[in-house]
Amino acid sequence: MFDSRHIRTFHEVVRTRSYSAAAQALGYTQPAISQQMKALEREVGTPLFTRVGRRLRLTEAGETLARHTEHILGSMSVAREQMAAIARLRTGLVRVCAFPSANATLLPEAMALLAVEHPGIRVELLEDEPPDSLRRVVQGESDVTLAFTYPGLREEVPAELVEIPLLEDQLTVLLPVGHPMARRRAVQLGDLAQERWIAGCLRCRTNFVHECAQLGFTPDIVFTTDDNLAVQALVAQGLGVAMMPGLSLSFLRRDKVRGKPLAPASRRQVSAYVLREHLRIPATARLLEALAAVAGRRADPLEA
């Protein structure tokens, strides 16, 4: 590994062919230049200069290093500028992993805010459900994860992660338009005990079965899929009903299905999760601020 100060000094000595001229150009004393060049020669393990009379001449190793110094110093300059740009929020990449309904709702709105206020910040989207999405942050595959938890379930969150609560997402039941309960303002889960059900991801399905068990029945689950649009299509064809998050109503096929809130209300907590040290990264912090702003102003889809 080369000391960058030594490379810069070497470049100036090569340019001026003189320790004294390099010292004057860099604001050093001549002994300081001489000491730096000796240190650089120890780093490379071979002499870089020979003296011919009062002038310096590069050795073969010196000639080789001299051919690379322009590139080395240029790369260092570019690196400094890029790091400064990140610190000033002109640029930056944030990798976000989220569950499907967040990728279709909260994140596009947050990214639109960033595009206006910090256009140099780029967001890379990944999709996964918890708990796998939480492991992605811990393993360094993403910088931020959006995930959800249900109050009735004991769910472990890795100790390395910081939770930033965003919103409570009210659960809803999807019914085909011709269903007898489709005209109700809200529905009770127990009234649907005899229905055929379409269930979602493992965590959602576990919560759904848990809520049904508390009401004294076991749901007849005939289809399972993580695809929100597939769930809507199955409901629209009268193949079953489904318990869905309120966020999914933002892209509801309202001509075919109806979304009705549960009574009493049932909600899941939607939060952002990040490693504590990533909170100090400017681009990540700005994305989290945008997500909090979007979540704070977002109307409950069931009330829209």
Side-chain angles (χ1 to χ4, degrees):
M1 294 293 290
F2 297 143
D3 187 314
S4 60
R5 296 171 303 169
H6 297 166
I7 293 296
R8 190 173 292 107
T9 300
F10 173 76
H11 176 70
E12 192 62 28
V13 172
V14 171
R15 188 183 70 83
T16 60
R17 298 288 175 168
S18 166
Y19 280 6
S20 58
Q24 187 174 3
L26 295 174
Y28 294 146
T29 63
Q30 183 171 331
I33 297 292
S34 178
Q35 288 172 8
Q36 287 192 39
M37 292 303 91
K38 288 179 181 178
L40 181 59
E41 288 178 333
R42 287 195 297 272
E43 290 171 2
V44 300
T46 187
L48 298 171
F49 300 98
T50 60
R51 282 200 172 272
V52 180
R54 299 175 60 86
R55 295 188 61 79
L56 291 174
R57 175 177 292 176
L58 289 168
T59 64
E60 183 179 359
E63 293 281 3
T64 300
L65 182 58
R67 287 195 296 270
H68 291 284
T69 53
E70 288 282 358
H71 175 71
I72 293 170
L73 294 174
S75 296
M76 289 170 54
S77 178
V78 171
R80 281 195 301 271
E81 176 57 29
Q82 290 178 351
M83 295 300 293
I86 291 172
R88 295 193 299 269
L89 296 180
R90 281 167 38 197
T91 63
L93 170 66
V94 187
R95 300 165 301 161
V96 183
C97 183
F99 53 96
S101 55
N103 265 344
T105 54
L106 297 177
L107 275 166
E109 295 176 31
M111 290 165 64
L113 279 181
L114 281 180
V116 172
E117 298 178 5
H118 306 291
I121 295 178
R122 191 160 55 91
V123 178
E124 181 180 295
L125 293 183
L126 306 170
E127 188 169 293
D128 211 342
E129 301 277 1
D132 293 338
S133 59
L134 296 173
R135 286 195 288 268
R136 283 182 178 246
V137 182
V138 175
Q139 294 170 359
E141 296 176 17
S142 67
D143 304 307
V144 177
T145 275
L146 296 190
F148 54 86
T149 56
Y150 289 102
L153 301 180
R154 182 179 179 183
E155 296 168 319
E156 297 294 331
V157 174
E160 305 96 312
L161 299 182
V162 176
E163 178 183 3
I164 302 166
L166 295 175
L167 58 83
E168 289 188 343
D169 188 19
Q170 186 170 349
L171 300 182
T172 179
V173 173
L174 292 191
L175 305 165
V177 290
H179 194 282
M181 297 185 191
R183 293 182 178 274
R184 293 187 183 183
R185 184 174 180 83
V187 297
Q188 295 183 16
L189 189 59
D191 291 342
L192 299 167
Q194 302 305 312
E195 297 285 343
R196 289 155 53 96
W197 287 90
I198 301 154
C201 72
L202 178 59
R203 180 170 288 197
C204 295
R205 187 161 66 248
T206 301
N207 175 72
F208 169 58
V209 171
H210 172 75
E211 292 200 22
C212 292
Q214 287 188 316
L215 295 173
F217 75 95
T218 300
D220 179 16
I221 299 175
V222 292
F223 298 104
T224 60
T225 175
D226 294 349
D227 187 330
N228 289 324
L229 293 178
V231 171
Q232 292 186 39
L234 291 167
V235 172
Q237 293 300 318
L239 298 173
V241 299
M243 188 162 78
M244 296 280 284
L247 285 175
S248 67
L249 297 188
S250 297
F251 43 91
L252 188 65
R253 296 175 57 190
R254 298 184 185 275
D255 59 326
K256 300 289 186 179
V257 297
R258 296 288 184 268
K260 300 297 175 179
L262 287 170
S266 180
R267 294 180 172 85
R268 65 179 183 174
Q269 176 66 51
V270 176
S271 300
Y273 296 86
V274 63
L275 293 170
R276 186 174 301 278
E277 54 267 30
H278 285 189
L279 292 171
R280 299 194 298 270
I281 299 175
T284 300
R286 298 297 85 79
L287 174 66
L288 292 171
E289 290 170 3
L291 284 167
V294 166
R297 74 188 186 191
R298 185 177 179 82
D300 189 331
L302 297 171
E303 299 174 356

